[in-house]
Amino acid sequence: MVEITKNLFIGDDNDFNSVDDSWYVVHACKDPYHRKLLGYRTPGCPKCEEYYFAERDNILYLNLVDADNVQYIPNVVINKALDFIDEHIKDNKILVHCNLGESRSPSIGLLYLRKMGYFDGKSVSQGMFEYKEIYKKFNPNHGMMDYIIQNW
């Protein structure tokens, strides 16, 4: 787990298992968290009110897969994660994690830093290079990489 800015930590499933109930958490992975919460057994989540995300107390569950194609990464999911972080970061420690801590969660972390102005005036490649110095495990899949490029 790496603190990329005050109160914002990026990590993997093991890091999630090390935090206590006082933390705010973004599960940036469909499996097993979103799936288990909503109880679906089909490959995809059935269409419902919480199809894209579900929020329970201090936890945000995202229906987010590490897709090779950016079309499978909905803006509404990433924007909800960024808003959740923004809403709670002042007074709480927040862990954004995905299964391996390489693609989805660090991409959300990078996009949050970008939103906060950390990379103003920098190209996407410069921003990603600098971010890799902060979070060394950053290794986005093609879909997340394209999402970052399109939303820089």
Side-chain angles (χ1 to χ4, degrees):
M1 174 174 9
V2 175
E3 187 173 21
I4 63 166
T5 191
K6 186 178 184 328
N7 286 343
L8 181 57
F9 297 78
I10 305 299
D12 59 26
D13 282 345
N14 291 326
D15 297 317
F16 168 64
N17 292 325
S18 72
V19 301
D20 63 35
D21 292 341
S22 69
W23 285 65
Y24 279 67
V25 174
V26 176
H27 292 300
C29 41
K30 175 176 82 174
D31 286 311
Y33 307 99
H34 186 265
R35 178 186 300 281
K36 186 183 253 185
L37 177 72
L38 298 185
Y40 56 95
R41 296 197 164 125
T42 55
C45 179
K47 292 288 185 186
C48 65
E49 186 176 309
E50 296 179 311
Y51 176 82
Y52 291 111
F53 57 83
E55 194 170 343
R56 303 287 190 278
D57 300 318
N58 58 332
I59 302 176
L60 179 63
Y61 301 79
L62 301 180
N63 181 1
L64 184 61
V65 296
D66 202 11
D68 280 329
N69 190 321
V70 69
Q71 77 181 29
Y72 298 109
I73 302 169
N75 284 329
V76 66
V77 171
I78 303 300
N79 290 339
K80 179 61 180 177
L82 298 176
D83 290 346
F84 181 88
I85 294 166
D86 218 25
E87 183 178 341
H88 300 291
I89 196 167
K90 183 177 179 223
D91 300 318
N92 304 283
K93 290 184 177 183
I94 300 172
L95 171 65
V96 180
H97 82 93
C98 58
N99 303 119
L100 299 177
E102 295 176 2
S103 184
R104 292 166 286 182
S105 61
S107 294
I108 290 170
L110 170 65
L111 290 166
Y112 183 77
L113 293 181
R114 169 76 171 139
K115 178 180 176 181
M116 303 306 359
Y118 281 67
F119 303 109
D120 283 354
K122 306 266 172 96
S123 69
V124 66
S125 60
Q126 289 173 309
M128 287 192 290
F129 178 80
E130 289 181 19
Y131 184 65
K132 182 109 171 139
E133 294 298 310
I134 299 167
Y135 189 82
K136 301 205 181 316
K137 285 175 53 176
F138 178 55
N139 185 26
N141 202 346
H142 295 292
M144 289 307 298
M145 175 69 81
D146 288 344
Y147 189 90
I148 291 165
I149 291 167
Q150 290 177 14
N151 291 279
W152 192 252

